[in-house]
Amino acid sequence: MSGTLPRFPTMPALLSSLSHGINPPTLPSMPSMPSMPRGVKLPRAVAMPTVSQAHRRMLQDCCSVLDHQTPGGLCGCCWALRPRYKRLVDNIFPEDPEDGLVKANMEKLTFFALSAPEKLDRIAAYLSERLTRELNRHRYGYVCIAMEALEQLLLACHCQSINLLVESFLRTLRLLLEADKPHLHILATNSFVKFANIEEDTPSYHRSYDFFVSRFSQMCHSQHEDADTRSEIRVSGIRGLQGVVRKTVDDELQVNIWEPRHMEQIVPALLVNLQQHTHPDSESPAEQTEVCFRELFGRAAYGHINNAIRPVLMHLDSHSLWEGRSFAVRCFQIIMYSIQSQHSHLVIQQLLGHLDANSRSPASVRAGIVEVLSEAAVIEATGSVGPAVLEVFNTLLRQLRQSVDYQLTGYYDNTGKHKTTSMEEKTLQDAVIKTIGSFANTLPVYQRSEVMLFIMGKIPVPGIYPALGSPNAGFEGSRMIQVMLLKSLLQVSERYESSNLLMALPSSFLEPLLSFTLMEDPEIRLLVLSILTSLIDRRHNAARLHAASVVFDVSVLELKDSCSRQDVLFMRKHAQRLYRHVYLACKEESSGRGHYQALFTLLVVLSVELANEEVVVDLIRLVLALQELALSNQESLSVFNRCGVHGVCAAFLSLLSQLGPPLHLHVTQVIDSRHRDAPHLLPQHVLCDEPSLPEGDLKVDDTLLFVQSKMCEALSGSSYSSHAERINTPYTPQLTDEDRLSKRKSVGDIVSLQMDMDAQYCPDTQQKPQMEQITFETLKNAIEDRGGVEEEERRKRREVVERFQTAPFEEIAAHCGAKASSLQSKLDQVFELIIRPPPSPSGHSPPRSTPLYEMKFPDLCVY
């Protein structure tokens, strides 16, 4: 009959099967009893006849054989002699497995297990044995019933003896997972998940989950032919891994699931399914993987982050997933949102180290890692990127320099075998610059200031900082590095907000930055102007100044009531330097439309953010000087340059007249005249896509110019009257040593150097110091005479060396002693002047006290 166990031979058949010559033991005659129904027990009062020891052993052996026999037939009498826990276990199995677990008998078994917990190990072992037998006979219905019974016992037995039950339970799960039936794998996984949700009171030191980690990871890679079955197996494997993590991660005495050997199996298994995001269903492998992935990293402690991140990086490398970027970005977005916020910088450090390790990889791979870094920095906005903030930016800047070298050489390795293109390297450079800005935005203000100083120190400045990058890069390599680092600096400065410009723009940062306005490269000069504007513009008015124009509504600007004390101190310290570089920037022949727009924006930001009466007058003087510069014939400026400077002056004075100074009448008259007679002097006609320029040389009538005297007269009766007279003093920039950075400057341009000569004093009269005009002939004669002076110095050095090599020691000592005595006499004179007592009012000098350095102390008092 299907569903019943095989019948064992009866007792007479066993005895008759003994070999010849062996007499069976004579058993005492026992009354025949009918077969007892299931559940009926023998009365305790029945007394067994006395039998010999050998007979008792034979009876026990026979009963042990019949332990697995279902009650009924001729052996019903032996079933009643079996242990009670076995009878209770047997009673939970129905005749037909489709009927399911016998609930009433299962309740009896559960009550017995709770009443006698010391029998749990025997109950579990017998259930496991029964399940193994049914599994070998392919009776999967009874297998499911046995697993259900084990699950109910696990859920009911919350006591210290649960460990006795768990070992048999896990051994049973191993059997099911080793089978080749997918539905058994799913059954075992569901049972393990229920077990993982049980909170145990006592730990188990010898329990191992290595098999389950390996088997569940293998299920996550299932390649079953049927798509639905494959999806179910993968989901079961993911839920199994989630159960393993949940069971082991919170208990330090359990197996360490964070070891590399476990993480190298779990993480790739999850990433494979996370990559196949095709079904929006919540039961799809991708959705289940994301839940498990978040839980895994959410439970990771400080010391486990590196072991968990390393397999992720290895998986992305081995499957070339950096180049696609979308999956890598999504993967690390899940990680950054899942881990504890105080551990975010560890992920950043792992990515930076991986970026360094892939410095010889293709540009697409490096760009993918950098883009992931950028997205991770946006999420990690807790105010710090770890203890080594500058090391983060140092790594990114190093990648910029390497990319420049690769772009110049055309290869991204030293052997010259792997080619790269300029387009790929530029894409990488843009990604690095964007990432630098993303990192800087997560930092507090004081750290951003340090980062800007750090980046400025990396920019190669001729004569100040050494050139960076490859020695073979040359001038073009240094120029490219300058451009890249200035773009990085612009990214940091765009969102930098500081109420104190003295701290935001210290001299150590401002001086090298302004020195770049003297460079020939127009792109570098434009970047410097943008950086200056972004640092000074604290109210973001630069974004509202779309284009320079004489028709501008100042109501769109965010104005300030008064200038703070810190701003006044900043302008007193750095104003002349700023004016000077604005003036020199207008003298550059290579300036274009963008430069003049940037100069106009910088002037407006200065007048809005930092202007008081004194600064406004200085800005007017600067604009008048720029107007004179555009009219001068000494400068080799093109017609476009001259018209551009005139346009910037007109646009700025038009806007400034609306901010407070009473210049509106005169400025409006000049602008109207230009509209009629010279529209090419207005910004909207010259700073456009198709500028309208006059043919031939530029000629400007006096009526088209802003007049210094009229502006001074307009300011006389206002709050600017105390500074109005300064307008009559033309602005003249002071030339400094920074001019050596401009490559157009040469020795022949320096025509007015003066040198103070030593004054000659006579006993009677004092002569004025003579001023000698240094000319080309004087410099030539000085260079020619220098040879004789150097020869005389070399001769004196040889005499000193020979004296110390050949002269006797006494002579050398006497020579040095004479110098020492001369020095001592000078010191005595100085001490005499210092410690001389003041004169007495009575006219008598007080007795002179012995100086401390002349006192004679006893030997015992001198160390």
Side-chain angles (χ1 to χ4, degrees), residues 303-328:
H304 304 146
I305 295 294
N306 292 340
N307 289 342
I309 294 295
R310 194 174 297 112
V312 178
L313 301 176
M314 294 172 59
H315 181 83
L316 296 175
D317 285 341
S318 58
H319 291 80
S320 302
L321 296 176
W322 293 112
E323 300 179 8
R325 302 181 192 176
S326 59
F327 175 73

Side-chain angles (χ1 to χ4, degrees), residues 670-728:
V670 174
I671 291 176
D672 291 341
S673 300
R674 292 187 179 186
H675 272 297
R676 293 190 307 267
D677 303 329
H680 54 272
L681 299 181
L682 296 176
Q684 57 267 31
H685 293 280
V686 65
L687 302 180
C688 57
D689 295 334
E690 296 181 359
S692 57
L693 301 176
E695 297 180 358
D697 296 335
L698 179 64
K699 296 180 180 180
V700 182
D701 191 69
D702 293 342
T703 58
L704 304 177
L705 299 176
F706 299 100
V707 182
Q708 179 178 349
S709 59
K710 292 184 178 181
M711 301 184 77
C712 180
E713 181 181 353
L715 295 177
S716 297
S718 64
S719 60
Y720 299 89
S721 58
S722 59
H723 304 281
E725 293 298 329
R726 297 176 55 240
I727 295 182
N728 295 325

Side-chain angles (χ1 to χ4, degrees), residues 394-525:
N394 189 32
T395 301
L396 294 174
L397 296 180
R398 184 165 60 248
Q399 291 296 322
L400 269 181
R401 294 196 297 271
Q402 289 179 352
S403 178
V404 170
D405 291 342
Y406 297 159
Q407 183 178 354
L408 293 174
T409 59
Y411 298 93
Y412 61 83
D413 59 347
N414 293 329
T415 59
K417 297 181 179 179
H418 302 89
K419 292 184 178 181
T420 185
T421 62
S422 298
M423 186 62 65
E424 292 177 348
E425 295 299 334
K426 287 181 179 179
T427 303
L428 170 64
Q429 292 161 10
D430 293 340
V432 172
I433 293 171
K434 176 186 174 184
T435 305
I436 290 175
S438 300
F439 273 110
N441 293 334
T442 66
L443 300 176
V445 175
Y446 73 94
Q447 283 188 330
R448 294 190 198 183
S449 180
E450 293 178 359
V451 169
M452 289 194 298
L453 283 172
F454 180 76
I455 297 176
M456 180 57 67
K458 296 291 184 179
I459 303 178
V461 181
I464 298 180
Y465 299 118
L468 303 177
S470 173
N472 301 325
F475 174 75
E476 179 63 20
S478 297
R479 190 200 70 83
M480 293 175 64
I481 293 174
Q482 287 174 345
V483 172
M484 296 303 162
L485 296 185
L486 286 174
K487 287 182 178 179
S488 304
L489 194 58
L490 180 61
Q491 285 284 330
V492 179
S493 64
E494 281 181 343
R495 297 187 182 181
Y496 180 76
E497 297 179 1
S498 177
S499 58
N500 189 353
L501 285 180
L502 282 173
M503 298 180 61
L505 291 170
S507 299
S508 58
F509 175 79
L510 187 60
E511 291 180 3
L513 178 65
L514 290 176
S515 65
F516 283 103
T517 59
L518 304 177
M519 301 294 291
E520 286 185 340
D521 195 309
E523 185 177 5
I524 292 178
R525 297 200 309 273

Side-chain angles (χ1 to χ4, degrees), residues 590-655:
S590 58
S591 297
R593 171 187 172 187
H595 295 82
Y596 294 116
Q597 176 66 34
L599 285 169
F600 166 74
T601 305
L602 178 59
L603 290 174
V604 173
V605 169
L606 284 173
S607 62
V608 172
E609 292 284 345
L610 305 171
N612 51 21
E613 289 80 1
E614 181 181 358
V615 173
V616 168
V617 171
D618 286 339
L619 288 174
I620 295 174
R621 292 175 58 218
L622 174 63
V623 170
L624 293 175
L626 292 178
Q627 181 178 256
E628 292 298 324
L629 174 66
L631 296 173
S632 175
N633 294 324
Q634 297 180 0
E635 301 295 336
S636 57
L637 295 176
S638 63
V639 175
F640 171 78
N641 296 136
R642 297 178 186 275
C643 292
V645 173
H646 281 295
V648 169
C649 296
F652 175 69
L653 288 177
S654 174
L655 189 145

Side-chain angles (χ1 to χ4, degrees), residues 218-356:
Q218 184 179 355
M219 291 171 62
C220 292
H221 295 277
S222 174
Q223 297 295 332
H224 198 276
E225 297 177 355
D226 184 59
D228 294 336
T229 304
R230 180 171 63 249
S231 178
E232 291 178 0
I233 294 175
R234 290 194 173 193
V235 170
S236 297
I238 295 166
R239 295 178 65 239
L241 291 177
Q242 187 177 9
V244 173
V245 173
R246 189 175 300 167
K247 190 67 178 176
T248 59
V249 74
D250 293 330
D251 193 351
E252 296 181 356
L253 299 177
Q254 295 279 10
V255 62
N256 186 6
I257 200 66
W258 302 104
E259 293 181 357
R261 60 190 180 94
H262 295 312
M263 286 291 103
E264 290 173 1
Q265 298 182 55
I266 295 175
V267 173
L270 296 177
L271 292 178
V272 166
N273 292 278
L274 186 63
Q275 196 174 347
Q276 300 176 356
H277 189 70
T278 55
H279 303 285
D281 186 14
S282 59
E283 294 297 327
S284 66
E287 297 297 331
Q288 289 292 327
T289 300
E290 184 172 344
V291 173
C292 181
F293 206 59
R294 292 183 184 275
E295 183 175 353
L296 175 68
F297 282 92
R299 295 173 177 267
Y302 180 84
H304 304 146
I305 295 294
N306 292 340
N307 289 342
I309 294 295
R310 194 174 297 112
V312 178
L313 301 176
M314 294 172 59
H315 181 83
L316 296 175
D317 285 341
S318 58
H319 291 80
S320 302
L321 296 176
W322 293 112
E323 300 179 8
R325 302 181 192 176
S326 59
F327 175 73
V329 170
R330 177 169 174 262
C331 181
F332 275 91
Q333 283 178 342
I334 295 175
I335 294 174
M336 295 299 293
Y337 280 121
S338 301
I339 62 176
Q340 303 176 38
S341 58
Q342 64 268 25
H343 301 157
S344 299
H345 68 277
L346 295 176
V347 181
I348 302 297
Q349 290 178 0
Q350 284 279 332
L351 285 170
L352 289 171
H354 196 67
L355 180 60
D356 276 341

Side-chain angles (χ1 to χ4, degrees), residues 29-43:
S29 59
M30 298 178 60
S32 61
M33 294 188 297
S35 175
M36 299 182 66
R38 177 180 298 179
V40 180
K41 303 178 182 179
L42 288 174

